[in-house]
Amino acid sequence: MSGNDSPKPKRVWGTPTVSAADTIAQVAANDATLEVLDLSGSAIFQMKPDEYMAQISEALAKNTVVKELVLVNCGIGDRGCESLQAALAVNTTLAVINLEKNTISATGASSLAMGLKNNSGVREINLMNQTQGRWTDRCLDDFLQMFETNVSLTKIVWRLESRKSFAINKMITRNNEIDRRVKSNLDYDDVLPTALKGKTIVLPNKDYKSSGSLEKASSTSAGSDASSDRPAGAARPPPRTNKVLARWPPAAAAGAE
């Protein structure tokens, strides 16, 4: 089902026939009709975001069906990210996570990074338009540390105002290269991070085609400093790290000026 272009089954929170308990029960029960879970803008969820995030995360920890978790404008903060961290540490089914327009700070983002350290399923995550200020260098260091063992995350939608964005872009480029080689049955050991050298890489969601939920709430592309002001469908300008991103491996481009 994940490899075709047919509409993904969705569970939309807050409709007259859907209760919070019913939705969480479906996730926990691996309901086969629930591949895209979209809770965006739910007034019910916004009333108790920490409580519902804890329940949803507990259910996702055991779920093997849900591919996309869309939680746009749900009032989610750092405690919610702590709950999701635990689920990400064990779940290998989720491929796309959209957390745009919430109240996540650098602390919450660091929790997500820790959850993704050994995650092999999540390919895309959207953290745009949070209300709690900029991502700190300490937070970005946590993401760089995450990339020492994570080779599945190929897209991050956020806005960075830090020189560390160059290093993070290199890691995303590396993961995309690993993804390309795995799909093409090519050797990838030379581009693996040191901690994974000599190991077989399994990317359970490498062939998953997103429903587009990551782009629906934001017209930006992944990377370090995408702007939310870019019109939908507009071409993204070349990244400032173009010389590094355009060539692989990074060492080959390091001295090119």
Side-chain angles (χ1 to χ4, degrees), residues 1 6-11 32-37:
M1 179 176 185
S6 60
K8 305 294 190 299
K10 298 179 67 174
R11 186 61 158 178
T33 67
L34 187 57
E35 190 168 321
V36 177
L37 178 57

Side-chain angles (χ1 to χ4, degrees), residues 45-87:
F45 196 96
Q46 291 168 353
M47 291 174 62
K48 299 180 179 179
D50 292 340
E51 178 180 329
Y52 285 128
M53 277 299 292
Q55 294 176 22
I56 287 290
S57 297
E58 182 179 358
L60 285 172
K62 307 170 187 177
N63 185 276
T64 59
V65 177
V66 176
K67 288 289 188 180
E68 300 186 35
L69 182 63
V70 188
L71 301 168
V72 178
N73 190 27
C74 287
I76 298 167
D78 294 342
R79 288 185 62 185
C81 289
E82 289 180 12
S83 297
L84 189 56
Q85 173 189 344

Side-chain angles (χ1 to χ4, degrees), residues 82-123:
E82 289 180 12
S83 297
L84 189 56
Q85 173 189 344
L88 293 175
V90 295
N91 182 294
T92 59
T93 304
L94 272 177
V96 177
I97 300 174
N98 191 339
L99 299 176
E100 186 174 5
K101 297 180 181 177
N102 283 291
T103 62
I104 300 168
S105 75
T107 300
S110 289
S111 295
L112 296 176
M114 287 185 280
L116 290 167
K117 283 184 66 174
N118 297 306
N119 182 285
S120 62
V122 175
R123 298 175 59 80

Side-chain angles (χ1 to χ4, degrees), residues 153-171:
L153 187 62
T154 58
K155 184 174 184 178
I156 306 178
V157 183
W158 55 2
R159 184 181 182 88
L160 301 186
E161 298 176 357
S162 169
R163 292 184 178 182
K164 293 182 184 293
S165 64
F166 303 140
I168 289 178
N169 267 340
K170 287 173 65 176
M171 295 298 98

